[in-house]
Amino acid sequence: MTFSLSVILQAIASGLMIGGVFALISIGLTLIWGVMKIINFAHGEFLMIGLYLTYFLVTQFGMDPYLTILITTPALFFIGIGIFQVSIKPILKHPQMNQIMLTLGISLILQNLALVLFKADVLSVRTRYTGINYTVGGVVVTLTELIAFFGSIIATLALYYILKTTDIGRWIRAAAQNPTAAILQGVDVRFTYLLAFGMGSACLGIAASLLLPFYYTSPTVGLFLGLIAFVVVVLGGMGNFLGAFVGGLIIGLTESLGAAIMPGSLSRVLTFGIFVLFLLFRPQGILSKRQS
Amino acid sequence: MRRYREFLIPVVVFGLAGFLPLFLKTYYVHIGILILIWAYLATSWNILGGYAGQHSLGHGLYMGIGAYASTYLALNFGLTPWVGMFVGMAFAAAAGWFVGYATFRYGLKGAYFALVTIALAEAAVYVVSNWKAMGGAAGLEVKYLGTNPFMMQFDGKLPYFYIILVMTLLAVLTAQWLNRRRFGYRLIAVRENEEAAEAMGVNTLGTKINANVLSAVMTAAGGTFFAQYFTYVGPRVVFGEMVSVQILLFAIIGGLGTVWGPLVGAVILVPVAEIARAELGTQFQGAHLLLYGGVLVFTMLFMPKGIVGLVKSVRSRIWKTPDDSVSAPAPEGGAS
């Protein structure tokens, strides 16, 4: 096994690029957890919906993959709030495990619905962006990865801006900190939950459009990406926005460096190993302070 | 007398079920075996998930350990799976103790515990996939020897049916036994209110670890049977997320923390799923999992106590008997 510097540098570059997308995916999950303490086990499957939607918009209607953001984002927003209204809202006050089981059921439904509708084929797209790369000091970066990375950062900053400065953002943060106090201050907490769930899902629409040009979609794509999102969210501290971003980059780097220096799929063991170690020794995440 | 009656009911029910295969076609015996496998695994899971209230989403880990241990030992050392099963159970006990100690020691519960268990089972998938001696991603095949009771192999389905029938009966009796034992009361105390249990002098950490070990050991034995019956083990097949989900599915739909819930859940769902798979499987792969997902969502929305819980509360409403079904724990960390 050779660990040449260029291999490592290449792995770091690719790791950061995909890490940016992991971060965006995870921010949706951490937003939902932070506001209503629900772990959406169907998060990966929502992303899968976005990926299929992007795929069909590109292949059937010849849309530019990055223009599909204008459709996938609102689509995922409304799918999110639709599912929230029908299934999650009625059991908001039930034990947390019931909510987890419910979203697990939703993920089973979506995943196997995709299997029934689209078969198990792995689908990817070729667009006019495919095949364009830049070489900087021996490190090759593809245009699609680069767009995904910066697109994710812009989306993250936009969401951060919304949460920090707008009324909606203030409602969401108030509902996250103390729902009862928020109600007393006149915040419509139920509506805020709905919005937060929709926004968390909408992140996946953006992520899907950015991801597909250099990734793929299949009925089980959400299984792996969903697990990655859990890993990132725990790493960053559940509900911690910036933590999820840093966590996304870390896991992107781990995956890519691990794949460069470890044989076969052993790098996955590294990823899950980091996850378990964090859960055991720092369940509050890298950035958060330990709660008393 | 009442004490023995509780144990007599399962023995009679399973004894009567033992006559069923004599009247059934082979295919239905196969479905019966599937029902019992999942009922057995779900009953094992229920001790930790239902009684102690710690929802493991990674029981595939223990099932895989049991399946791989006996298969590996039989292939490489010619060890009979009857003994290999106990070796697997010993490994699962160690794994269960470690997982329990590592997680409960740091007070992980609820969603966090669920996430750790998923991650561990998923890590196991990748470890085994890269482990040459364990057959890597291709898995291990049980060498087919024809009927050989010593190696737990049979040509027909009947012997398998009776093995898993006895195993499930033992699991149900264990659950029934827990209902009247201090250990069982401790489990329920931990589930209902851990702080109060601790204040009453219950060693909650030890109780939860023991529950994890017992549940893991029982699950591993199911893994060995699974490997012998399907004569194949693969990383995804036994450690995978779908296995872990199915294990808990029947317990939750049947009725969490009840003796009969996991069995009822499996008896109702497995045949429907199998028919869906047989009828639609070629055209619509995943039809049975779609069904499972739908039933799980329905259960959580309309009868969170599962089928047995529902029956109990309806019965208590009609006959005005005290409702001894599982009372829902107070929402923890839930939004108000």
Side-chain angles (χ1 to χ4, degrees):
Chain A
M1 187 123 318
T2 53
F3 303 127
S4 65
L5 189 65
S6 67
V7 170
I8 301 293
L9 283 176
Q10 179 67 56
I12 289 175
S14 321
L16 279 178
M17 300 288 134
I18 189 86
V21 185
F22 286 171
L24 179 58
I25 296 169
S26 313
I27 279 164
L29 188 64
T30 214
L31 180 70
I32 293 168
W33 165 266
V35 174
M36 58 201 97
K37 303 289 176 285
I38 284 180
I39 297 193
N40 183 11
F41 271 78
H43 200 69
E45 277 64 36
F46 284 17
L47 178 68
M48 175 203 70
I49 297 178
L51 286 167
Y52 272 106
L53 191 58
T54 311
Y55 176 83
F56 284 110
L57 287 172
V58 171
T59 55
Q60 302 297 312
F61 300 97
M63 272 182 85
D64 186 287
Y66 301 112
L67 252 165
T68 61
I69 290 179
L70 297 176
I71 296 176
T72 52
T73 311
L76 262 291
F77 180 84
F78 286 112
I79 289 171
I81 63 173
I83 288 180
F84 179 85
Q85 281 290 24
V86 175
S87 62
I88 297 170
K89 197 176 160 191
I91 66 160
L92 265 179
K93 290 190 176 177
H94 286 212
Q96 192 187 31
M97 273 336 282
N98 290 22
Q99 298 161 350
I100 287 181
M101 290 305 149
L102 179 97
T103 58
L104 198 64
I106 294 172
S107 87
L108 273 180
I109 294 176
L110 293 176
Q111 194 183 319
N112 291 290
L113 205 58
L115 194 60
V116 167
L117 291 175
F118 312 123
K119 306 282 180 271
D121 306 326
V122 172
L123 305 170
S124 57
V125 290
R126 274 195 72 82
T127 61
R128 58 203 174 95
Y129 305 99
T130 315
I132 302 174
N133 356 303
Y134 305 101
T135 313
V136 184
V139 175
V140 183
V141 180
T142 66
L143 177 62
T144 47
E145 284 176 310
L146 215 56
I147 294 176
F149 179 68
F150 285 107
S152 298
I153 288 184
I154 292 168
T156 307
L157 289 175
L159 189 60
Y160 191 71
Y161 179 80
I162 292 174
L163 286 178
K164 280 291 173 200
T165 61
T166 64
D167 275 347
I168 293 173
R170 271 186 277 275
W171 298 340
I172 288 178
R173 282 183 294 137
Q177 276 168 17
N178 190 333
T180 318
I183 291 171
L184 292 174
Q185 298 292 322
V187 174
D188 186 344
V189 169
R190 291 257 150 158
F191 181 65
T192 308
Y193 282 174
L194 184 69
L195 272 181
F197 202 87
M199 282 165 68
S201 308
C203 289
L204 298 172
I206 305 173
S209 295
L210 294 171
L211 195 57
L212 191 69
F214 68 101
Y215 212 72
Y216 63 91
T217 184
S218 75
T220 51
V221 70
L223 247 175
F224 172 65
L225 288 172
L227 272 172
I228 285 286
F230 292 145
V231 173
V232 170
V233 164
V234 169
L235 210 59
M238 284 177 149
N240 188 320
F241 194 89
L242 290 177
F245 192 77
V246 177
L249 296 182
I250 291 178
I251 289 301
L253 283 173
T254 310
E255 280 273 309
S256 141
L257 279 171
I261 60 174
M262 290 168 100
S265 50
L266 262 183
S267 61
R268 292 283 148 75
V269 179
L270 200 66
T271 308
F272 290 111
I274 286 183
F275 176 60
V276 171
L277 288 180
F278 257 88
L279 272 172
L280 295 183
F281 299 110
R282 252 193 106 72
Q284 75 275 30
I286 25 179
L287 291 184
S288 320
K289 293 190 182 69
R290 185 176 277 278
Q291 287 165 346
S292 53
Chain B
M1 227 19 235
R2 187 180 154 75
R3 272 181 75 160
Y4 296 105
R5 203 184 68 189
E6 285 169 0
F7 294 108
L8 205 62
I9 294 170
V11 172
V12 170
V13 169
F14 278 80
L16 288 175
F19 288 103
L20 280 177
L22 306 176
F23 311 104
L24 293 175
K25 277 190 227 151
T26 312
Y27 176 65
Y28 295 107
V29 177
H30 167 68
I31 290 186
I33 293 171
L34 289 180
I35 291 173
L36 288 168
I37 289 177
W38 290 112
Y40 173 82
L41 292 170
T43 305
S44 309
W45 180 90
N46 197 31
I47 289 172
L48 179 70
Y51 285 72
Q54 311 296 319
H55 290 44
S56 159
L57 284 179
H59 254 47
L61 178 65
Y62 311 117
M63 166 138 168
I65 289 174
Y68 265 94
S70 65
T71 309
Y72 176 81
L73 290 171
L75 278 177
N76 291 281
F77 302 101
L79 185 74
T80 160
W82 292 109
V83 177
M85 183 187 261
F86 287 93
V87 178
M89 287 159 83
F91 277 113
W97 186 87
F98 172 77
V99 172
Y101 182 79
T103 51
F104 299 135
R105 174 81 184 74
Y106 290 96
L108 295 191
K109 49 185 155 192
Y112 284 93
F113 180 68
L115 288 176
V116 179
T117 50
I118 293 183
L120 284 171
E122 198 64 15
V125 171
Y126 290 107
V127 169
V128 173
S129 303
N130 290 283
W131 191 346
K132 282 219 177 64
M134 292 298 164
L140 296 173
E141 245 172 80
V142 177
K143 215 186 293 167
Y144 185 67
L145 304 162
T147 298
N148 186 343
F150 180 70
M151 292 305 276
M152 208 197 280
Q153 281 196 15
F154 308 94
D155 243 346
K157 302 227 177 265
L158 276 186
Y160 289 110
F161 182 88
Y162 288 112
I163 293 171
I164 193 67
L165 188 75
V166 171
M167 283 172 71
T168 312
L169 172 62
L170 289 176
V172 168
L173 288 177
T174 307
Q176 186 71 270
W177 177 76
L178 280 179
N179 259 356
R180 292 279 175 266
R181 283 275 146 175
R182 274 203 189 155
F183 179 55
Y185 289 134
R186 283 196 204 109
L187 294 180
I188 292 165
V190 164
R191 178 189 72 205
E192 292 296 322
N193 190 335
E194 205 172 326
E195 285 77 19
E198 187 78 51
M200 296 291 286
V202 173
N203 174 1
T204 55
L205 175 65
T207 303
K208 286 194 283 186
I209 293 175
N210 287 343
N212 202 33
V213 170
L214 178 59
S215 182
V217 165
M218 289 168 65
T219 307
T224 298
F225 178 84
F226 189 90
Q228 288 305 119
Y229 184 62
F230 290 103
T231 66
Y232 168 73
V233 288
R236 281 266 160 227
V237 177
V238 285
F239 286 107
E241 199 199 346
M242 272 310 128
V243 177
S244 302
V245 169
Q246 285 188 54
I247 289 176
L248 60 89
L249 196 83
F250 303 110
I252 288 184
I253 290 166
L256 261 186
T258 60
V259 173
W260 294 97
L263 185 72
V264 170
V267 165
I268 293 175
L269 273 183
V270 173
V272 184
E274 272 312 301
I275 290 164
R277 177 147 64 178
E279 297 290 321
L280 305 165
T282 44
Q283 206 184 346
F284 301 112
Q285 212 187 334
H288 65 293
L289 292 173
L290 190 64
L291 177 90
Y292 284 161
V295 176
L296 187 56
V297 168
F298 180 87
T299 306
M300 284 302 113
L301 283 177
F302 302 110
M303 45 174 203
K305 288 179 186 176
I307 299 165
V308 171
L310 188 75
V311 169
K312 277 188 179 175
S313 61
V314 167
R315 193 183 58 186
S316 67
R317 211 169 292 167
I318 294 174
W319 280 286
K320 305 266 186 249
T321 56
D323 181 3
D324 58 349
S325 69
V326 194
S327 61
E332 55 171 275
S336 49

